Amino acid sequence: MIHIEHLTKRYGDVTAINDLSFDVRAGVVTGFLGPNGSGKSTTMRVILGLDAPSKGTATINGKAYADLKSPLREVGALLDAKAVHPGRSARNHLLSLAASNKIKASRVDEVLEIVGLSGVAKKRAGDFSLGMGQRLGIAAAILGDPQILLFDEPVNGLDPEGIRWVRDLFRSLANEGRTVFVSSHLMSEMALTADHLVVIGRGHLITQGSVAELTANAKSTVYVRSSNPNGLADALRSKKFEVSANNEQSLSVIGATSDEVGELAHELGITILELTPERASLEEAFMELTADEVEYSGSPSTKKAVTA
Amino acid sequence: MSTTISLGSSVRSEWIKFRSVRSTLWGLITLVILTIGIGVLVSFAVRGHWSHASFRDRITFDPVNTSLSGTLFAQFAVGVIGALFVSNEYANKTIRTSLSAMPRRMTFAFGKITVLVVSLFLITEAVCIIAFLAGQSVLSGVTPTGSLGNASDLRAVLSAGVYLTLLSLLGLALGLILRHTSWAISVFVSLLLILPLLVFLLPSNWQNDVSKYLPANLGQSMTSTTVAAHSFAPWTAMIILVVYVAGLLTAGLMLLVSRDV
Ligand SMILES: Nc1ncnc2c1ncn2[C@@H]1O[C@H](COP(=O)(O)OP(=O)(O)OP(=O)(O)O)[C@@H](O)[C@H]1O
Ligand SMILES: [Mg+2]
């Protein structure tokens, strides 16, 4: 289990993590979700003892990472797929890691086989594609057959087949009772990969829970086309629903169910032409949760920047 | 077998890293070519001019130091090897992978130091002995020559290997402190080439007192069979150089342990 308690990390004036507390449990895939710059990678570096916390603690089964007797056998991590010496072969990269933790060389060939890199094991890692780099990083993470695994944005650069493979791998690692902690800034990806979610924004915890819980909490939207959109809109607003007009005839009602909209229209004698509940996707739930927490939001227009 | 990480496992891991990149091989090839090639060239030059040499030049002539002239160039190759061994890890971020596998940073660093010192010591000693023998065979019959059977000659030759090994460690220390290849190499080169120029700007009565402390001049003292004016005796020079390297290495280790990666 990974235990994060009141963790704060500052880099000069920048507060990358702000009083963050959560646990990552064994036996499930835990997604670590947040917009760019929200502190996911920083949290992972602190867990691995690479960066020292400004306040608070991160522990692995109750111990500080630096106190692990054989780190690769206890924790496997993929931080950055490009983090290999470009001139070193994949096999030598893994052999050097294995040697540091007294892991047998035969295990290196085994993990190369598992990730499908046996054929290119002696090639320079600098010539690898990003996807092959991710596979090499995953090979390094599972090298010591650890019970706890951390992956920072592992699907970046993978093709659909690779993404499927990674998802299945995480699933089977969790089913074996391991702790699997995977970061992403894509909710849609996490919806398919994770069981449990920890959502952060600007370095602090926004929410956590199962994927089902988080989607259920998100506000639903109802799309309605009717004979009297203005009348319906006024009535809905008076009931404190948020309404936006899409065009002459149709409205989007946020936070209402289709039953509520349908009954109200009936009371007013308005004819419903179309009524569609739009279930909030996990993506929308995420956008809603992190709306105030986005560090780097893009400007809607890209044209201005060019002429500026 | 214990599965706990140790200095031994760190050494094995670092040895695999050291031998599995081409920069190490190129650095060593450069070291061999410069040490032996320049030693032979300078010996030929001396041999050619011997008949015109002044009496003073003849009595101060040091055949051992002459055959080891290549170390003045090879010192840059070993510095680069040492600096790259660390700075490479920062350049491609493998330092994070390395320290996740080996979170005891001192053990990690001493693994690197052991690999660098042992392999460079063996190689530089062999290369310096070859350079010495090649140089003496060029000089023989024309000028006085040295012999490994002579204690002070042997000491000078072996000291050349020690000097180069110490300088590779200096490169490693700069890599630890500066973490960028280009910065580490620039500072290394500055210590050997720019610092002497700065000393030259000092008042002339200070220059002799200060310049004997320069790393390159300490190297010259270590590899000479005679003690030149305004320079340290060989053992004193070696001790001073060891102090420099130990000081920078300590600074590098303290930064490695305390900084985020
Ligand atoms: N070494 C550092 N020095 C200074 N600031 C840093 C450092 N590392 C991270 N930060 C800052 O901390 C914040 C969190 O960064 P972090 O990389 O952890 O975010 P992230 O959630 O991983 O983002 P992304 O989705 O883009 O990978 C950012 O504002 C970043 O600029
Ligand atoms: Mg990140």
Side-chain angles (χ1 to χ4, degrees):
Chain A
M1 190 181 83
I2 306 171
H3 181 64
I4 309 276
E5 197 171 310
H6 295 301
L7 192 69
T8 296
K9 177 65 185 175
R10 277 186 286 272
Y11 297 103
D13 295 342
V14 181
T15 302
I17 315 175
N18 191 358
D19 196 29
L20 187 61
S21 300
F22 64 88
D23 286 337
V24 187
R25 286 178 293 121
V28 288
V29 177
T30 302
F32 191 28
L33 198 60
N36 292 129
S38 54
K40 305 180 295 292
S41 300
T42 304
T43 305
M44 295 219 172
R45 286 199 303 277
V46 172
I47 293 171
L48 295 172
L50 297 170
D51 286 19
S54 307
K55 268 194 209 134
T57 52
T59 53
I60 305 279
N61 293 333
K63 279 184 280 186
Y65 192 89
D67 295 333
L68 300 180
K69 296 271 177 276
S70 187
L72 294 184
R73 285 192 176 76
E74 296 172 65
V75 182
L78 162 65
L79 288 187
D80 182 352
K82 282 166 276 154
V84 281
H85 189 295
R88 191 175 283 134
S89 72
R91 189 161 186 277
N92 278 327
H93 174 71
L94 295 175
L95 278 175
S96 78
L97 283 174
S100 70
N101 278 238
K102 302 183 184 173
I103 293 165
K104 289 195 300 266
S106 59
R107 175 65 184 164
V108 167
D109 298 318
E110 219 171 278
V111 295
L112 282 166
E113 188 70 45
I114 293 172
V115 303
L117 290 178
S118 296
V120 290
K122 303 225 162 109
K123 294 249 160 63
R124 292 159 41 91
D127 296 338
F128 281 14
S129 67
L130 186 51
M132 289 160 85
Q134 294 285 18
R135 285 167 185 269
L136 179 56
I138 290 169
I142 62 173
L143 187 60
D145 200 17
Q147 282 299 313
I148 298 178
L149 293 119
L150 278 69
F151 300 94
D152 197 3
E153 312 255 1
V155 299
N156 267 359
L158 289 180
D159 54 19
E161 188 267 329
I163 293 176
R164 244 193 113 89
W165 169 75
V166 165
R167 254 182 231 148
D168 293 346
L169 177 73
F170 293 166
R171 174 71 38 223
S172 64
L173 289 169
N175 288 344
E176 289 163 15
R178 298 178 213 250
T179 305
V180 183
F181 190 44
V182 186
S183 86
S184 174
H185 57 269
L186 295 176
M187 188 66 148
S188 50
E189 175 51 39
M190 286 289 97
L192 293 165
T193 311
D195 310 298
H196 190 87
L197 289 176
V198 173
V199 184
I200 63 167
R202 286 184 183 259
H204 64 251
L205 187 70
I206 293 177
T207 186
Q208 59 175 322
S210 71
V211 172
E213 276 164 22
L214 293 185
T215 356
N217 284 343
K219 290 183 198 159
S220 58
T221 303
V222 177
Y223 173 88
V224 55
R225 196 158 61 83
S226 66
S227 58
N228 182 1
N230 292 336
L232 185 58
D234 291 342
L236 285 164
R237 286 200 182 99
S238 70
K239 296 223 173 226
K240 304 281 181 235
F241 291 124
E242 201 179 312
V243 182
S244 60
N246 296 324
N247 54 43
E248 297 280 286
Q249 285 192 321
S250 75
L251 305 169
S252 283
V253 191
I254 298 161
T257 63
S258 46
D259 289 13
E260 289 167 321
V261 177
E263 275 163 20
L264 191 64
H266 178 72
E267 279 168 29
L268 299 169
I270 296 172
T271 312
I272 300 266
L273 304 172
E274 195 180 337
L275 183 64
T276 319
E278 292 177 340
R279 251 191 74 69
S281 68
L282 209 44
E283 199 72 49
E284 283 161 313
F286 175 54
M287 297 290 275
E288 206 174 287
L289 283 168
T290 59
D292 305 327
E293 313 287 348
V294 179
E295 186 134 1
Y296 310 107
S297 58
S299 140
S301 166
T302 52
K303 286 195 180 126
K304 279 180 200 152
V306 179
T307 51
Chain B
M1 188 180 85
S2 149
T3 54
T4 307
I5 51 172
S6 62
L7 180 61
S9 72
S10 177
V11 168
R12 271 190 293 280
S13 170
E14 293 305 327
W15 169 240
I16 295 169
K17 289 186 204 166
F18 190 65
R19 66 171 169 74
S20 62
V21 292
R22 248 181 256 172
S23 54
T24 304
L25 182 66
W26 285 116
L28 293 176
I29 289 173
T30 312
L31 162 77
V32 172
I33 292 174
L34 290 177
T35 312
I36 300 173
I38 293 186
V40 167
L41 280 178
V42 173
S43 300
F44 267 115
V46 170
R47 178 193 165 103
H49 285 91
W50 189 254
S51 53
H52 317 292
S54 68
F55 175 70
R56 194 174 165 280
D57 284 350
R58 288 181 186 217
I59 58 161
T60 57
F61 175 65
D62 185 339
V64 182
N65 188 261
T66 302
S67 64
L68 297 173
S69 304
T71 55
L72 284 174
F73 297 85
Q75 63 191 1
F76 297 104
V78 296
V80 170
I81 293 174
L84 275 180
F85 196 25
V86 171
S87 62
N88 254 343
E89 294 233 10
Y90 286 97
N92 51 44
K93 300 198 180 114
T94 48
I95 187 71
R96 289 181 178 156
T97 319
S98 298
L99 291 181
S100 314
M102 184 63 67
R104 284 180 223 148
R105 298 187 184 183
M106 280 296 200
T107 313
F108 163 78
F110 277 103
K112 269 200 192 300
I113 290 169
T114 308
V115 167
L116 186 73
V117 167
V118 171
S119 47
L120 265 99
F121 181 74
L122 295 176
I123 292 163
T124 55
E125 290 298 357
V127 171
C128 289
I129 290 170
I130 294 169
F132 170 80
L133 295 175
Q136 303 314 302
S137 71
V138 169
L139 295 169
S140 91
V142 179
T143 75
T145 53
S147 147
L148 291 178
N150 177 314
S152 73
D153 292 2
L154 182 65
R155 190 224 68 229
V157 174
L158 296 184
S159 295
V162 173
Y163 174 71
L164 291 177
T165 306
L166 283 171
L167 283 198
S168 74
L169 212 41
L170 187 74
L172 184 143
L174 291 174
L176 281 175
I177 295 169
L178 300 165
R179 304 197 280 190
H180 290 269
T181 305
S182 52
W183 298 358
I185 292 175
S186 304
V187 171
F188 184 87
V189 172
S190 305
L191 289 176
L192 294 171
L193 293 180
I194 314 283
L195 218 51
L197 296 179
L198 295 180
V199 170
F200 202 63
L201 298 175
L202 291 173
S204 54
N205 50 334
W206 293 10
Q207 283 176 22
N208 288 331
D209 289 338
V210 175
S211 79
K212 63 183 176 183
Y213 285 97
L214 293 170
N217 292 345
L218 294 171
Q220 284 304 299
S221 304
M222 285 167 66
T223 55
S224 298
T225 50
T226 54
V227 179
H230 309 298
S231 59
F232 286 110
W235 295 116
T236 318
M238 193 186 292
I239 289 165
I240 294 170
L241 192 61
V242 167
V243 169
Y244 289 174
V245 173
L248 281 171
L249 210 47
T250 306
L253 291 172
M254 281 165 54
L255 288 170
L256 173 71
V257 170
S258 61
R259 280 196 294 213
D260 289 344
V261 285

